[in-house]
Amino acid sequence: QLTLAEFIVSGAYGRHVRSMRQRYRRRRDELVTALRQRAPGIRVAGMAAGLQAVLELPRGTESSVVQAAARQGLAVRGLTQFGYEVADCGWQFPERDALVVNYAAPSDSAWAGALDALCRVMP
């Protein structure tokens, strides 16, 4: 607790948050630009914030893209894995094919390669 308090009081925490915010914004921008150039049929959905992006895919391609990504060493998830249970209704799943991509996960040295591999597996 004392270390965290010093981290906050010294201003280091604020600098760290600003630095991470810039890094992740840059990565998201790079993801959007790369997809626009190399996979123009793929739309990045959702807010331009956070650590993940949802990539909308053509209908019927989610499973094959997830498998192709895994073969490239990428750990992406299909949106269908984010279903939820509703009382008296059973499981509800998204009605679109999409990938959930955590662009914060790769190290700085692995980011360019991961982005290239992701673009290669897009339909």
Side-chain angles (χ1 to χ4, degrees), residues 34-110:
L35 290 171
R36 187 177 299 129
Q37 293 171 352
R38 298 181 56 192
I42 305 302
R43 184 169 95 67
V44 180
M47 294 174 40
L51 306 175
Q52 299 176 330
V54 175
L55 311 183
E56 292 184 352
L57 302 171
R59 256 231 197 280
T61 62
E62 181 180 302
S63 179
S64 63
V65 172
V66 169
Q67 291 172 10
R71 288 192 295 274
Q72 294 289 320
L74 301 174
V76 297
R77 295 192 181 262
L79 190 61
T80 56
Q81 290 190 359
F82 294 89
Y84 55 94
E85 190 170 10
V86 177
D88 301 323
C89 295
W91 281 90
Q92 305 292 311
F93 294 97
E95 296 181 14
R96 61 185 175 167
D97 285 12
L99 291 184
V100 178
V101 176
N102 179 345
Y103 51 82
S107 66
D108 287 341
S109 62

